[in-house]
Amino acid sequence: MAEDFYQALGVSKQASPEEIKRAYRKLARQFHPDRNPDDPKAEERFKQIQQAYDTLSDPEKRKQYDAGGAFAGFGAGGGGPFSGGGFTSDLGDIFSSIFNRGSREPPQVRGRDLETEVRLSFDQAMNGAQVTVTVPKSERCATCGGSGAEPGSTPTICPRCGGRGIDAQSQGFFSISQPCPQCGGSGQVIEHPCPTCGGSGLTRQTKRYRVNVPAGVRDGTRIRLAGRGEAGPRGGPPGDLFVTTRVAPSPVFKQTADGNLEVEVPITIAEAVQGGTVEVPTLNGAKRIRVPAGTSHGTIQRLRGEGPPRAGGRGRGDIRYRLVIDVPRDLDREQKQAVEQLAEAFNGRNPRERLLREASARTGKVEGEE
C-alpha cells in the first residue's frame, strides 16, 4: 500500500484538481477489476486509487490530509469521481429523485388502469347519452383504510431499506438498486396484518359508474374516467378507467373514419338521365338534394354540416350520398316498349365504341379481326 495519497495517484503535492482528476481516471482504467479479473493486487491497487482520489478531490479533506489529519487512512470512505465529487455523486442525485432515496416516506405505487366496454345504439352515439357500467376492481379495505395493518396498529418502517423501498448495492463505479427483499419495495413492514385484506390494503368490490358519452362517438372510441381504476396498494393513488364504445350499426347511415356519414341512395334511370330533385334522409328528418342530368352510377353528393357532432365542439361533420342507379330486373310489357323506344331514339349508339377503338389502336388490330 502506498503510504502517501499523492504517490498513489502519481502526482505532486502541488498538483491542481484537474491534474489529480486526470491521473485518477488513467489509473482507474488501468487497475479496474473488470480489466484484471485474475489479479487480486490490481483490485487492492484500485481501492487505494479510489481512496486517494476521494480525499484529494475534496478541498476540505485535502487540506486536513496535508495537515496530517483524519483522512490519511484508506478505510475512510470509498471514492473516485464516481463517488465523492464526480460521476457517482450525480448518479446518486438521479437515483434519489427516482427511488426516493434519502427519504423515510414509503414510496406510493399507483393502482392499475382498467378497461371495459359499453354498447350503444346508433342514435345514442349520434346524440350522446349517459350510461352505467359495472366494474369489478380492487378498492381500499374499509377495515384498515388501505394501510394493510390491523386496526389499532400501524405499519413500521422497514429496517433493511429504512423506508426507501430500495436495496442499493455498490459494484465498482455504479450503484445497482432493486426492490427491497424484506418489504417488497413498499418501505413498510406490517407486523399485524388486517384480518379483512390480509395486509394488502385492498379488497375486491364491484362498482357502478355513470359514463357521459359525448355526441358523435364512433365504434372503438375510448373515454377516460380519471381515478376510477384500481386503488393503489398501501394507500397509493388509483389508476384510471377507460371505457370503449361499441356502436350498433345503422341500417341507413354508415360511419366513416373521418367523422362523417355515408348513405347509399337509389335513383331511377330516368332521374340519372334527366336529372331532378330527390328526397334523402338526415339525422333530423328528410331533406332534398339535386341530381344533375347525366349522373353516373356511384356519384357522390354532399350535405355539409348535417353529420354527427365533431369532438371538442368543432361543429358537425357531413353526410355523403352515394347515388346508385337502380336497374329493374323484371319489366312489364309497357316498360319493355318504353326501353325499346329509348334505344331507337339513340339510333343504336354504342357507348363502348370509343373504348374499343382505343383498345384496337394499342394492339394494332382492326375491329373484327381474329
Side-chain angles (χ1 to χ4, degrees):
M1 179 184 296
E3 296 181 358
D4 185 90
F5 284 165
Y6 292 102
Q7 293 178 8
L9 296 179
V11 297
S12 68
K13 292 188 177 182
Q14 290 75 35
S16 67
E18 187 61 32
E19 290 173 333
I20 291 175
K21 182 182 293 186
R22 280 200 305 267
Y24 169 79
R25 288 178 174 174
K26 179 181 179 180
L27 293 171
R29 285 193 296 267
Q30 180 181 350
F31 292 99
H32 194 279
D34 291 345
R35 290 194 172 188
N36 305 273
D38 301 322
D39 188 354
K41 292 183 178 180
E43 182 177 358
E44 181 63 26
R45 181 82 171 99
F46 180 75
K47 292 179 180 180
Q48 295 174 16
I49 295 167
Q50 283 187 308
Q51 184 62 38
Y53 183 83
D54 179 56
T55 298
L56 299 183
S57 63
D58 185 300
E60 187 62 31
K61 289 182 181 180
R62 183 179 181 182
K63 182 179 179 181
Q64 294 189 35
Y65 175 78
D66 290 342
F71 294 98
F74 280 99
F82 307 100
S83 172
F87 187 63
T88 303
S89 176
D90 296 335
L91 277 180
D93 293 339
I94 295 173
F95 284 133
S96 293
S97 63
I98 296 176
F99 298 118
N100 202 27
R101 292 174 67 183
S103 170
R104 296 182 67 85
E105 289 295 325
Q108 287 194 323
V109 179
R110 183 177 179 272
R112 290 193 307 117
D113 292 336
L114 297 177
E115 294 198 20
T116 189
E117 293 185 351
V118 61
R119 300 195 174 275
L120 304 172
S121 68
F122 182 79
D123 289 339
Q124 286 177 314
M126 293 299 101
N127 300 319
Q130 187 178 82
V131 296
T132 301
V133 295
T134 302
V135 183
K137 53 183 290 193
S138 295
E139 278 287 331
R140 287 187 180 182
C141 174
T143 303
C144 65
S147 70
E150 184 181 19
S153 65
T154 57
T156 59
I157 298 296
C158 175
R160 175 161 182 160
C161 66
R164 296 187 301 269
I166 296 296
D167 187 29
Q169 296 181 354
S170 296
Q171 292 189 2
F173 293 160
F174 300 99
S175 177
I176 299 177
S177 299
Q178 59 186 1
C180 174
Q182 183 167 347
C183 65
S186 68
Q188 297 178 328
V189 175
I190 298 178
E191 298 179 354
H192 304 285
C194 170
T196 302
C197 65
S200 67
L202 303 172
T203 57
R204 294 297 291 178
Q205 302 179 25
T206 299
K207 291 288 186 177
R208 292 169 60 89
Y209 297 113
R210 290 182 179 179
V211 183
N212 293 316
V213 180
V217 298
R218 300 198 300 269
D219 186 76
T221 298
R222 296 180 84 215
I223 302 172
R224 174 175 171 262
L225 275 63
R228 300 301 187 186
E230 291 201 334
R234 309 283 175 84
D240 299 331
L241 172 63
F242 291 90
V243 181
T244 302
T245 59
R246 295 301 174 200
V247 181
S250 166
V252 177
F253 301 98
K254 177 183 177 182
Q255 288 183 292
T256 61
D258 57 2
N260 298 312
L261 296 177
E262 189 172 288
V263 181
E264 191 173 278
V265 179
I267 59 174
T268 66
I269 296 176
E271 289 170 333
V273 174
Q274 296 178 331
T277 302
V278 298
E279 197 172 48
V280 294
T282 72
L283 294 175
N284 301 295
K287 289 197 174 184
R288 302 180 76 84
I289 62 172
R290 188 176 68 87
V291 178
T295 293
S296 301
H297 183 87
T299 297
I300 299 292
Q301 293 284 77
R302 184 190 303 261
L303 278 180
R304 298 187 181 279
E306 292 291 339
R310 296 190 184 278
R314 298 181 289 109
R316 303 181 71 94
D318 304 331
I319 302 181
R320 294 196 291 257
Y321 298 96
R322 183 179 298 275
L323 303 180
V324 179
I325 300 175
D326 183 30
V327 180
R329 296 192 176 196
D330 299 318
L331 301 177
D332 59 25
R333 182 176 180 181
E334 183 179 353
Q335 291 171 335
K336 289 181 180 180
Q337 291 177 349
V339 172
E340 291 172 357
Q341 292 174 0
L342 179 62
E344 292 176 2
F346 281 104
N347 293 322
R349 175 180 173 272
N350 184 358
R352 296 168 295 282
E353 182 178 356
R354 180 181 175 185
L355 173 67
L356 295 172
R357 184 170 61 250
E358 292 180 351
S360 297
R362 289 179 60 86
T363 59
K365 291 184 179 181
V366 179
E367 185 176 355
E369 285 187 358
E370 292 296 336

